[in-house]
């Protein structure tokens, strides 16, 4: 990706120089840099707010309660995992955060879930149980990644924040279509995962 973006920027600068538009290129670079910093500052505040709410929900026991409620779904998606294991805990936190539209808050839990899934796969290999090769992702890792990417969202907080940052007249207008789109993508993801598991 670094080479791709670097090449595109370099081609744009060279093209601007060759066509006599280097002034416009310079102005575009300065303006986009200002917008990037402004967007990051605006998103930092929103992210801090929602991460704080997620932490409060976790410490108040709300996350644990929601985790218990989604145990049947977790058991369906990850039949080989221990429901009381650390991997399942982080998967549940990630799914709940994604459901609430807190994609940025879901990322740390998702990374920890992947680490725990890798440890569980290593444990299976050490015990002589059926497991994937060391450098190959397990079924659980693949299923988690697919479900995480498709992520059903009740409130698309990140998109609402972007729309608000750029002056949308109604930042929440996308909620209905967001729920529909993510419901379809999650449904397709679950069907795909279960079909591949059977293979």
């Amino acid at each position: 990706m670094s080479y791709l973006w670097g090449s595109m920027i370099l081609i744009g600068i060279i093209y601007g120089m060759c066509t006599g538009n280097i002034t416009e290129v310079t102005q575009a670079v300065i303006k986009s840099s200002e917008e990037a910093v402004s967007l990051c500052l605006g998103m930092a505040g929103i992210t801090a707010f929602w991460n704080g709410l997620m932490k409060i929900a976790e410490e108040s026991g709300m996350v644990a309660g929601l985790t218990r409620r989604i145990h049947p779904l977790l058991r369906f998606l990850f039949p080989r995992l221990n429901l009381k294991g650390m991997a399942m805990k982080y998967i549940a936190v990630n799914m709940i955060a994604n459901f609430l539209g807190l994609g940025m808050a879901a990322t740390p839990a998702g990374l920890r879930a992947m680490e725990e899934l890798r440890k569980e796969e290593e444990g299976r290999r050490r015990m002589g149980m059926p497991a994937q090769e060391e450098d190959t992702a397990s079924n659980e890792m693949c299923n988690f990644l697919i479900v995480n990417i498709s992520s059903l969202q009740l409130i698309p907080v990140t998109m609402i924040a972007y729309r608000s940052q750029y002056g949308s007249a109604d930042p929440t207008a996308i909620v209905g279509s967001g729920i529909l789109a993510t419901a379809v993508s999650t449904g397709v993801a679950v069907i795909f995962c279960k079909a591949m598991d059977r293979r």
Side-chain angles (χ1 to χ4, degrees):
M1 288 303 290
S2 299
Y3 291 120
L4 176 65
W5 286 109
S7 300
M8 289 170 64
I9 291 168
L10 191 59
I11 289 168
I13 292 170
I14 292 170
Y15 181 79
M17 290 171 64
C18 293
T19 57
N21 294 318
I22 194 65
T23 305
E24 286 79 1
V25 170
T26 305
Q27 288 173 352
V29 168
I30 294 169
K31 186 178 178 184
S32 60
S33 299
E34 289 174 1
E35 285 183 6
V37 171
S38 175
L39 179 64
C40 288
L41 290 174
M43 292 301 294
I46 293 164
T47 302
F49 172 73
W50 285 104
N51 280 342
L53 281 183
M54 193 66 187
K55 190 68 177 172
I56 291 168
E58 193 173 340
E59 300 209 355
S60 69
M62 185 177 165
V63 170
L66 288 170
T67 300
R68 281 192 297 274
R69 289 179 183 274
I70 64 170
H71 270 177
L73 174 64
L74 294 173
R75 172 57 64 206
F76 173 71
L77 291 173
F78 308 101
R80 290 201 308 165
L81 294 183
N82 176 10
L83 275 176
K84 296 183 179 177
M86 292 302 294
M88 197 65 91
K89 176 192 169 186
Y90 288 122
I91 288 171
V93 170
N94 175 271
M95 289 178 72
I96 291 166
N98 272 328
F99 179 70
L100 297 175
L102 309 176
M104 295 177 191
T107 301
L111 294 173
R112 295 295 299 275
M114 278 297 190
E115 288 176 8
E116 293 298 327
L117 288 170
R118 182 178 52 79
K119 288 177 187 175
E120 289 205 14
E121 201 67 14
E122 287 172 358
R124 287 192 194 105
R125 273 197 301 274
R126 281 196 299 271
M127 294 169 60
M129 296 170 66
Q132 295 290 344
E133 295 177 16
E134 191 170 343
D135 57 349
T136 304
S138 66
N139 283 0
E140 286 79 15
M141 287 179 171
C142 295
N143 289 355
F144 173 63
L145 182 63
I146 291 167
V147 170
N148 179 57
I149 291 170
S150 65
S151 69
L152 173 64
Q153 289 187 4
L154 182 64
I155 307 166
V157 174
T158 305
M159 289 309 300
I160 291 170
Y162 279 130
R163 287 168 59 85
S164 177
Q165 185 76 15
Y166 284 108
S168 171
D170 187 5
T172 59
I174 60 165
V175 171
S177 56
I179 292 172
L180 179 61
T182 56
V184 170
S185 67
T186 301
V188 171
V190 170
I191 292 167
F192 177 79
C193 289
K194 298 316 285 185
M196 294 306 291
D197 278 349
R198 287 194 175 90
R199 289 182 61 185

